[in-house]
Coordinates of all heavy atoms in Angstrom, one line a residue:
V153 N 5.7 1.5 16.9 CA 4.3 1.4 17.4 C 3.7 0.0 17.0 O 3.1 -0.6 17.9 CB 3.4 2.5 16.9 CG1 2.0 2.3 17.2 CG2 3.9 3.9 17.4
L154 N 4.0 -0.4 15.8 CA 3.4 -1.8 15.4 C 4.0 -2.8 16.3 O 3.3 -3.7 16.8 CB 3.8 -2.1 14.0 CG 3.4 -3.4 13.4 CD1 1.9 -3.6 13.6 CD2 3.9 -3.7 12.1
G155 N 5.3 -2.7 16.7 CA 5.9 -3.7 17.5 C 5.2 -3.7 18.9 O 5.0 -4.8 19.5
E156 N 4.9 -2.6 19.4 CA 4.2 -2.5 20.7 C 2.7 -3.1 20.6 O 2.3 -3.7 21.6 CB 4.1 -1.0 21.2 CG 5.5 -0.5 21.5 CD 6.2 -1.2 22.6 OE1 5.6 -1.6 23.6 OE2 7.4 -1.5 22.5
L157 N 2.1 -2.8 19.5 CA 0.8 -3.3 19.3 C 0.7 -4.8 19.2 O -0.1 -5.5 19.7 CB 0.1 -2.7 18.1 CG -0.3 -1.2 18.1 CD1 -0.6 -0.7 16.8 CD2 -1.4 -1.0 19.1
V158 N 1.8 -5.4 18.5 CA 1.9 -6.8 18.4 C 2.1 -7.4 19.8 O 1.6 -8.5 20.2 CB 3.0 -7.2 17.5 CG1 3.3 -8.8 17.5 CG2 2.7 -6.8 16.1
K159 N 2.9 -6.7 20.6 CA 3.0 -7.2 22.0 C 1.7 -7.3 22.8 O 1.5 -8.2 23.5 CB 4.0 -6.2 22.8 CG 5.4 -6.4 22.6 CD 6.2 -5.4 23.4 CE 7.8 -5.4 23.1 NZ 8.5 -4.4 23.8
M160 N 0.9 -6.3 22.5 CA -0.4 -6.3 23.1 C -1.4 -7.4 22.6 O -2.2 -8.0 23.4 CB -1.1 -4.9 23.0 CG -0.3 -3.8 23.7 SD -0.7 -2.1 23.1 CE -2.5 -2.1 23.3
K161 N -1.4 -7.4 21.3 CA -2.4 -8.3 20.6 C -2.0 -9.6 20.1 O -2.8 -10.6 19.9 CB -3.0 -7.4 19.5 CG -3.7 -6.2 19.9 CD -4.3 -5.4 18.8 CE -5.1 -4.2 19.3 NZ -6.3 -4.5 20.1
V162 N -0.7 -9.8 19.8 CA -0.2 -11.1 19.4 C 1.2 -11.4 20.1 O 2.2 -11.4 19.5 CB 0.0 -11.2 17.9 CG1 0.0 -12.6 17.3 CG2 -1.0 -10.3 17.1
P163 N 1.1 -11.5 21.4 CA 2.3 -11.6 22.2 C 3.3 -12.7 21.8 O 4.6 -12.5 22.0 CB 1.8 -11.7 23.6 CG 0.4 -12.2 23.5 CD -0.1 -11.6 22.2
V165 N 4.0 -13.8 19.0 CA 4.8 -13.4 17.7 C 5.9 -12.4 18.3 O 7.0 -12.4 17.7 CB 4.0 -12.8 16.6 CG1 4.8 -12.1 15.5 CG2 3.1 -13.9 16.1
A166 N 5.5 -11.5 19.1 CA 6.4 -10.4 19.6 C 7.5 -11.1 20.3 O 8.7 -10.7 20.2 CB 5.7 -9.5 20.5
W176 N 11.6 -5.0 13.9 CA 10.4 -4.9 13.0 C 10.7 -4.2 11.7 O 10.2 -4.5 10.7 CB 9.4 -4.1 13.8 CG 8.7 -5.0 14.8 CD1 8.9 -5.0 16.1 CD2 7.7 -6.0 14.5 NE1 8.2 -6.0 16.7 CE2 7.4 -6.6 15.7 CE3 7.1 -6.5 13.3 CZ2 6.5 -7.6 15.8 CZ3 6.2 -7.5 13.4 CH2 5.9 -8.1 14.7
V180 N 8.9 -5.2 8.1 CA 7.6 -4.4 7.7 C 8.0 -3.0 7.2 O 7.1 -2.3 6.8 CB 6.7 -4.2 9.0 CG1 6.3 -5.6 9.4 CG2 7.4 -3.3 10.0
W183 N 6.2 -2.3 4.0 CA 4.7 -2.2 4.1 C 4.4 -0.7 4.3 O 3.4 -0.2 3.8 CB 4.2 -3.0 5.4 CG 4.4 -4.4 5.2 CD1 5.1 -5.2 4.3 CD2 3.9 -5.4 6.2 NE1 4.9 -6.5 4.6 CE2 4.2 -6.7 5.7 CE3 3.2 -5.3 7.4 CZ2 3.9 -7.9 6.4 CZ3 2.9 -6.5 8.1 CH2 3.3 -7.8 7.7
F184 N 5.2 -0.1 5.2 CA 5.0 1.3 5.6 C 5.4 2.3 4.5 O 4.7 3.2 4.2 CB 5.7 1.6 6.9 CG 5.0 1.1 8.1 CD1 5.2 -0.2 8.5 CD2 4.2 1.8 8.9 CE1 4.6 -0.8 9.6 CE2 3.5 1.4 10.0 CZ 3.7 0.0 10.4
F188 N 2.0 -0.8 1.1 CA 1.6 -2.1 0.6 C 1.7 -2.3 -0.9 O 1.3 -3.3 -1.4 CB 0.3 -2.6 1.1 CG 0.2 -2.6 2.6 CD1 -0.4 -1.6 3.4 CD2 0.8 -3.7 3.3 CE1 -0.4 -1.6 4.7 CE2 0.7 -3.7 4.7 CZ 0.2 -2.7 5.4
K210 N -4.3 5.0 11.0 CA -4.7 3.8 11.8 C -4.9 2.5 10.9 O -4.6 1.4 11.4 CB -5.9 4.1 12.6 CG -6.4 3.0 13.4 CD -7.5 3.5 14.4 CE -8.8 3.9 13.7 NZ -9.9 4.2 14.7
I211 N -5.3 2.8 9.7 CA -5.6 1.6 8.8 C -4.3 0.8 8.5 O -4.4 -0.4 8.4 CB -6.2 2.1 7.5 CG1 -7.6 2.7 7.7 CG2 -6.2 1.0 6.4 CD1 -8.6 1.7 8.3
I212 N -3.2 1.4 8.4 CA -1.9 0.7 8.2 C -1.7 -0.3 9.4 O -1.3 -1.5 9.1 CB -0.7 1.7 8.1 CG1 -0.9 2.6 7.0 CG2 0.6 0.9 7.9 CD1 0.1 3.7 6.8
F213 N -1.9 0.1 10.6 CA -1.8 -0.8 11.7 C -2.8 -2.0 11.7 O -2.5 -3.0 12.0 CB -1.9 0.0 13.1 CG -0.8 1.0 13.2 CD1 -1.1 2.4 13.2 CD2 0.5 0.6 13.4 CE1 -0.2 3.3 13.3 CE2 1.5 1.6 13.6 CZ 1.2 3.0 13.5
R214 N -4.0 -1.6 11.3 CA -5.1 -2.6 11.2 C -4.7 -3.7 10.2 O -4.9 -4.9 10.4 CB -6.4 -2.0 10.8 CG -7.1 -1.3 12.0 CD -8.6 -1.1 11.7 NE -9.3 -0.7 12.9 CZ -9.7 -1.5 13.9 NH1 -9.4 -2.9 13.8 NH2 -10.3 -1.1 14.9
V215 N -4.2 -3.2 9.0 CA -3.8 -4.2 8.0 C -2.6 -5.1 8.5 O -2.6 -6.3 8.4 CB -3.4 -3.5 6.7 CG1 -2.8 -4.4 5.7 CG2 -4.6 -2.7 6.1
A216 N -1.6 -4.5 9.1 CA -0.4 -5.2 9.5 C -0.8 -6.2 10.6 O -0.4 -7.4 10.6 CB 0.7 -4.1 10.0
L217 N -1.6 -5.8 11.6 CA -2.0 -6.6 12.6 C -2.9 -7.8 12.2 O -2.7 -8.9 12.6 CB -2.8 -5.8 13.7 CG -2.0 -4.9 14.6 CD1 -2.9 -4.0 15.4 CD2 -1.1 -5.7 15.6
T218 N -3.7 -7.5 11.1 CA -4.5 -8.6 10.6 C -3.7 -9.7 9.9 O -3.9 -10.8 10.1 CB -5.5 -8.0 9.5 OG1 -6.4 -7.1 10.2 CG2 -6.4 -9.1 8.9
L219 N -2.7 -9.2 9.1 CA -1.7 -10.1 8.5 C -1.1 -11.0 9.4 O -0.9 -12.2 9.3 CB -0.7 -9.4 7.6 CG -1.3 -8.7 6.3 CD1 -0.3 -7.8 5.7 CD2 -1.6 -9.9 5.3
I220 N -0.6 -10.4 10.5 CA 0.2 -11.1 11.5 C -0.6 -12.0 12.4 O -0.3 -13.2 12.6 CB 1.0 -10.1 12.5 CG1 2.1 -9.3 11.6 CG2 1.6 -10.8 13.7 CD1 2.6 -8.1 12.4
K221 N -1.8 -11.5 12.8 CA -2.7 -12.3 13.7 C -3.2 -13.5 12.9 O -3.4 -14.6 13.4 CB -3.8 -11.4 14.2 CG -4.5 -12.0 15.4 CD -5.4 -11.0 16.1 CE -6.1 -11.6 17.3 NZ -6.9 -10.7 18.0
Q222 N -3.6 -13.3 11.7 CA -4.3 -14.3 10.8 C -3.3 -15.5 10.6 O -3.7 -16.6 10.5 CB -4.8 -13.7 9.5 CG -5.4 -14.7 8.5 CD -6.8 -15.1 8.9 OE1 -7.4 -14.5 9.8 NE2 -7.3 -16.2 8.5
H223 N -2.0 -15.1 10.5 CA -1.0 -16.1 10.2 C -0.1 -16.4 11.4 O 1.1 -16.9 11.3 CB -0.1 -15.7 9.0 CG -0.9 -15.4 7.8 ND1 -1.4 -14.3 7.4 CD2 -1.2 -16.3 6.8 CE1 -2.1 -14.4 6.2 NE2 -1.9 -15.6 5.8
Q224 N -0.6 -16.2 12.6 CA 0.2 -16.4 13.8 C 0.8 -17.8 13.9 O 2.1 -17.9 14.1 CB -0.6 -16.1 15.1 CG 0.1 -16.3 16.3 CD -0.8 -16.0 17.6 OE1 -0.2 -15.9 18.7 NE2 -2.0 -15.8 17.5
I227 N 3.7 -18.1 11.4 CA 4.9 -17.3 11.8 C 5.6 -18.1 12.9 O 6.8 -18.1 12.9 CB 4.5 -15.9 12.2 CG1 3.9 -15.2 11.0 CG2 5.7 -15.2 12.7 CD1 3.3 -13.8 11.3
F240 N 7.3 -13.7 6.9 CA 6.7 -12.4 6.7 C 6.5 -12.1 5.3 O 5.6 -11.4 4.9 CB 7.4 -11.3 7.5 CG 7.1 -11.1 8.9 CD1 7.5 -11.9 9.9 CD2 6.0 -10.1 9.2 CE1 7.1 -11.7 11.2 CE2 5.6 -10.0 10.5 CZ 6.1 -10.7 11.5
I243 N 3.3 -14.3 4.1 CA 1.9 -14.0 4.6 C 1.2 -12.9 3.8 O 0.1 -12.6 4.1 CB 2.0 -13.6 6.2 CG1 2.8 -12.3 6.4 CG2 2.5 -14.7 7.0 CD1 2.7 -11.7 7.8
F248 N -6.1 -15.3 1.0 CA -6.5 -14.4 2.0 C -6.3 -12.9 1.6 O -7.2 -12.1 1.9 CB -5.7 -14.7 3.3 CG -6.1 -13.8 4.5 CD1 -7.4 -13.9 5.0 CD2 -5.2 -12.9 5.0 CE1 -7.7 -13.0 6.0 CE2 -5.6 -12.2 6.1 CZ -6.8 -12.2 6.6
F255 N -11.0 -9.5 2.9 CA -9.8 -9.1 3.7 C -10.1 -7.7 4.3 O -9.7 -7.5 5.5 CB -8.7 -8.9 2.7 CG -7.4 -8.4 3.3 CD1 -6.6 -9.3 4.1 CD2 -7.0 -7.1 3.2 CE1 -5.4 -8.8 4.7 CE2 -5.9 -6.6 3.9 CZ -5.0 -7.5 4.6
K258 N -12.2 -8.2 7.3 CA -11.3 -8.7 8.4 C -10.5 -7.7 9.2 O -10.3 -7.8 10.3 CB -10.3 -9.8 7.8 CG -10.9 -11.1 7.6 CD -10.9 -11.9 8.9 CE -11.3 -13.4 8.7 NZ -11.3 -14.1 10.0
I259 N -10.0 -6.7 8.4 CA -9.1 -5.8 9.2 C -9.9 -4.9 10.2 O -9.2 -4.3 11.1 CB -8.4 -4.7 8.1 CG1 -9.3 -3.7 7.6 CG2 -7.6 -5.5 7.1 CD1 -8.6 -2.6 6.9
F260 N -11.2 -4.9 10.1 CA -11.9 -4.2 11.1 C -12.4 -5.1 12.3 O -13.0 -4.6 13.2 CB -13.1 -3.5 10.5 CG -12.7 -2.3 9.6 CD1 -12.6 -2.4 8.2 CD2 -12.3 -1.1 10.2 CE1 -12.3 -1.3 7.4 CE2 -11.9 -0.1 9.4 CZ -11.9 -0.2 8.0
T261 N -12.2 -6.4 12.2 CA -12.6 -7.3 13.2 C -11.4 -8.0 13.9 O -11.3 -8.1 15.1 CB -13.6 -8.3 12.7 OG1 -13.0 -9.1 11.6 CG2 -14.8 -7.7 12.2
E262 N -10.5 -8.5 13.1 CA -9.3 -9.4 13.5 C -8.5 -8.6 14.6 O -8.2 -9.2 15.6 CB -8.5 -9.7 12.3 CG -7.4 -10.8 12.6 CD -8.0 -12.2 12.6 OE1 -9.1 -12.4 12.1 OE2 -7.4 -13.1 13.3
P263 N -8.1 -7.3 14.4 CA -7.2 -6.8 15.4 C -7.9 -6.3 16.7 O -7.2 -6.0 17.7 CB -6.7 -5.5 14.7 CG -7.0 -5.6 13.2 CD -8.2 -6.5 13.3
G264 N -9.3 -6.3 16.7 CA -10.0 -5.9 17.9 C -10.0 -4.4 18.0 O -9.7 -3.7 17.0
S265 N -10.2 -3.9 19.2 CA -10.2 -2.4 19.4 C -8.9 -1.8 19.1 O -7.9 -2.3 19.6 CB -10.7 -2.2 20.9 OG -10.6 -0.8 21.1
L266 N -8.9 -0.7 18.5 CA -7.7 0.0 18.1 C -8.0 1.5 18.0 O -8.3 2.0 16.9 CB -7.1 -0.5 16.8 CG -5.6 0.0 16.4 CD1 -4.7 -0.4 17.5 CD2 -5.3 -0.6 15.1
S267 N -7.9 2.2 19.1 CA -8.3 3.7 19.1 C -7.1 4.5 18.7 O -5.9 4.1 19.0 CB -8.9 4.0 20.5 OG -7.8 4.0 21.4
T270 N -4.9 5.3 21.8 CA -3.9 4.3 22.0 C -2.7 4.5 21.1 O -1.5 4.5 21.6 CB -4.5 2.9 21.9 OG1 -5.6 2.7 22.8 CG2 -3.4 1.8 22.1
I271 N -3.0 4.7 19.8 CA -1.8 4.9 18.9 C -1.1 6.2 19.2 O 0.1 6.2 19.1 CB -2.4 4.9 17.4 CG1 -3.0 3.5 17.1 CG2 -1.3 5.4 16.4 CD1 -3.7 3.4 15.8
L274 N 1.2 5.6 22.2 CA 2.3 4.8 21.8 C 3.3 5.5 20.9 O 4.5 5.4 21.1 CB 1.8 3.6 21.0 CG 1.2 2.4 21.9 CD1 0.6 1.3 21.0 CD2 2.2 1.8 22.8

Side-chain angles (χ1 to χ4, degrees):
V153 169
L154 176 62
E156 294 302 314
L157 289 170
V158 174
K159 281 182 188 176
M160 294 161 56
K161 296 181 177 290
V162 204
V165 171
W176 282 103
V180 301
W183 296 7
F184 285 83
F188 300 102
K210 177 167 68 172
I211 292 301
I212 300 174
F213 298 112
R214 283 200 168 277
V215 173
L217 286 169
T218 299
L219 287 169
I220 294 166
K221 197 169 183 181
Q222 180 73 20
H223 298 93
Q224 178 177 194
I227 295 169
F240 271 85
I243 66 173
F248 179 64
F255 180 80
K258 276 279 188 183
I259 73 169
F260 289 101
T261 56
E262 192 79 22
S265 175
L266 188 62
S267 69
T270 299
I271 291 171
L274 286 172

